Amino acid sequence: MKLFLMALLSTSLLASAAFAGSISLDTRFDFQNVDFNDAGVTGANADNSRLYFRVGRLDYQGKLSEDVTFRLRYAFTSFGANNVRDNAADAVQFAAITQKLFNGLSLTLGKFNPEMGGYEGITSGSDMYLQSEYFTHKFGNNSLGSSTYGVGDKHLYMTGLRLDYAFMDQTLTGMILDPIPDQAVGATGNASNQKMWGFLYKGSFMDKTLGVMASYHLTPGAGNAFSGDDKTSFSTVGLKWTSSPVLVSLDYNMESADFTPVAGTSRTDKMTTIIAKVAYTGFEQWTPRLEYHTTKEDFSTNSNTFTGMGAVAEYKPIKENNFRYHVAYNSITATGSSYAQDQTRTEILVGTRMLADFLK
């Protein structure tokens, strides 16, 4: 009888776990040391070091039926009140329901990643080391001078709806999103009827060895201005080569803000970025990576260039587990009319990352 009850309890727990889907804990803990050269760097960009959580989040994914899935991801490393536009806190990264319709067509409603910024833009924060200025819109802790929005800091998670059509290893996506930043439009922002439009293509070729990604997003406003014909566009073309043991990705991103400042003349701010990453997975427990990016920022009468290079070594004690140690070295140099002298930011990261499913 006891064996029967134990078997029944085990079966019930397994059935509940299967119904629940997956509940995972994703954490990355780093020691970070940052140094700037002495080219007039003060204030927010002073040398610093810290021990901190780079990533900390809970991710719940499950099914309501064969055709309806959902996802909720909460980051306990994010802070802030609810946004004006979507009434969701920044800590809520994913909160979406997906309904399969027919013949490869699906509808997603809620908060999700609009997949801007190419392969860099869809890389998990747990696996990012060197980040481009297109992604952060910053050099160190200081925001860049142009009125372009930036991607990762304000466009990584957005609320809206998207239609995905999948066929023969290809996916076409159209989406309607609330413009970001949410609070930039002020107290009356929730009365705005302006929307961001996005279009995305992803495909794989040569037995899924070659991946292709292209996207275009257009939003009203530029910087903090939502008026008249102001608009900002984001364009991306990305390639990814996955042929073990070599992984290579290449992104070309362009961002353009067309606007008229208050009591000013119309202008266009632009930012273009090229990102290249290479990884070698042929070793049993070690994965070395090399990363490079160059960003050109043009705004008003100023022009700046940022060049970044990084080297990474990842070590997995057990290759099959989602647990690793890593060490990374990054260097980014800023030069141009906004800098009296070239400024260089160097960074050392030493840390660990773990991804664990509570139901396994």
Side-chain angles (χ1 to χ4, degrees):
M1 185 66 177
K2 289 183 178 180
L3 291 176
F4 174 76
L5 291 175
M6 292 178 63
L8 180 61
L9 179 60
S10 300
T11 303
S12 300
L13 290 174
L14 289 173
S16 298
F19 177 78
S22 66
I23 305 176
S24 61
L25 171 67
D26 190 359
T27 61
R28 174 173 158 185
F29 185 76
D30 282 354
F31 166 74
Q32 178 192 50
N33 185 78
V34 178
D35 290 315
F36 291 86
N37 64 351
D38 296 326
V41 179
T42 58
N45 278 343
D47 298 348
N48 62 88
S49 63
R50 61 174 174 163
L51 291 159
Y52 76 117
F53 280 97
R54 174 67 177 269
V55 172
R57 55 201 183 196
L58 294 170
D59 194 352
Y60 180 26
Q61 301 182 57
K63 285 185 175 183
L64 292 178
S65 68
E66 286 300 316
D67 296 326
V68 180
T69 59
F70 62 88
R71 182 176 187 183
L72 173 65
R73 192 168 81 185
Y74 180 87
F76 55 79
T77 51
S78 296
F79 302 96
N82 287 8
N83 292 322
V84 173
R85 292 289 297 176
D86 61 8
N87 200 35
D90 288 338
V92 178
Q93 297 178 339
F94 286 88
I97 297 173
T98 298
Q99 167 78 60
K100 293 181 182 179
L101 301 177
F102 58 90
N103 295 333
L105 186 66
S106 62
L107 171 67
T108 299
L109 301 169
K111 194 171 184 179
F112 49 83
N113 185 345
E115 301 184 74
M116 303 168 65
Y119 287 103
E120 181 189 42
I122 63 174
T123 298
S124 169
S126 300
D127 296 323
M128 296 191 78
Y129 301 98
L130 179 68
Q131 297 173 316
S132 73
E133 290 70 35
Y134 186 87
F135 187 87
T136 64
H137 210 240
K138 295 179 179 180
F139 176 69
N141 292 321
N142 293 336
S143 297
L144 300 187
S146 68
S147 290
T148 54
Y149 274 128
V151 177
D153 53 349
K154 293 171 182 151
H155 292 106
L156 194 55
Y157 309 106
M158 298 181 69
T159 298
L161 63 88
R162 59 184 285 171
L163 278 172
D164 294 275
Y165 179 58
F167 61 99
M168 299 175 63
D169 294 329
Q170 325 289 313
T171 304
L172 295 174
T173 302
M175 61 191 84
I176 304 174
L177 306 157
D178 264 335
I180 299 294
D182 294 329
Q183 291 88 349
V185 290
T188 60
N190 57 347
S192 173
N193 60 4
Q194 301 180 97
K195 295 291 180 289
M196 172 185 277
W197 299 83
F199 303 93
L200 171 69
Y201 166 78
K202 291 189 294 185
S204 60
F205 304 90
M206 302 172 61
D207 293 328
K208 298 185 178 181
T209 299
L210 176 64
V212 179
M213 184 175 183
S215 65
Y216 178 79
H217 293 75
L218 179 67
T219 187
N224 290 339
F226 277 74
S227 62
D229 296 326
D230 294 353
K231 61 182 182 295
T232 303
S233 63
F234 309 84
S235 305
T236 289
V237 176
L239 299 174
K240 189 171 186 178
W241 178 262
T242 306
S243 180
S244 185
V246 178
L247 309 177
V248 181
S249 66
L250 181 66
D251 290 323
Y252 177 81
N253 299 321
M254 184 173 69
E255 183 177 352
S256 178
D258 299 308
F259 65 105
T260 303
V262 177
T265 58
S266 61
R267 67 185 244 196
T268 299
D269 287 2
K270 291 184 177 180
M271 183 186 299
T272 56
T273 299
I274 297 174
I275 306 159
K277 299 184 179 185
V278 180
Y280 182 80
T281 61
F283 301 122
E284 181 68 20
Q285 294 173 297
W286 291 90
T287 301
R289 301 179 183 273
L290 294 176
E291 304 180 346
Y292 169 85
H293 78 255
T294 178
T295 298
K296 182 68 177 296
E297 177 195 31
D298 289 305
F299 65 100
S300 189
T301 58
N302 296 332
S303 177
N304 302 303
T305 299
F306 305 87
T307 303
M309 294 177 286
V312 184
E314 297 176 336
Y315 171 73
K316 280 190 171 186
I318 302 176
K319 189 174 182 179
E320 292 74 20
N321 288 357
N322 289 318
F323 174 75
R324 70 156 190 266
Y325 296 98
H326 53 258
V327 58
Y329 174 84
N330 299 321
S331 176
I332 303 176
T333 298
T335 179
S337 51
S338 296
Y339 303 91
Q341 300 175 2
D342 291 357
Q343 294 187 5
T344 300
R345 176 186 185 273
T346 57
E347 176 185 42
I348 295 175
L349 294 169
V350 180
T352 182
R353 189 257 177 137
M354 179 192 72
L355 177 62
D357 190 336
F358 287 128
L359 302 182
K360 291 185 179 180

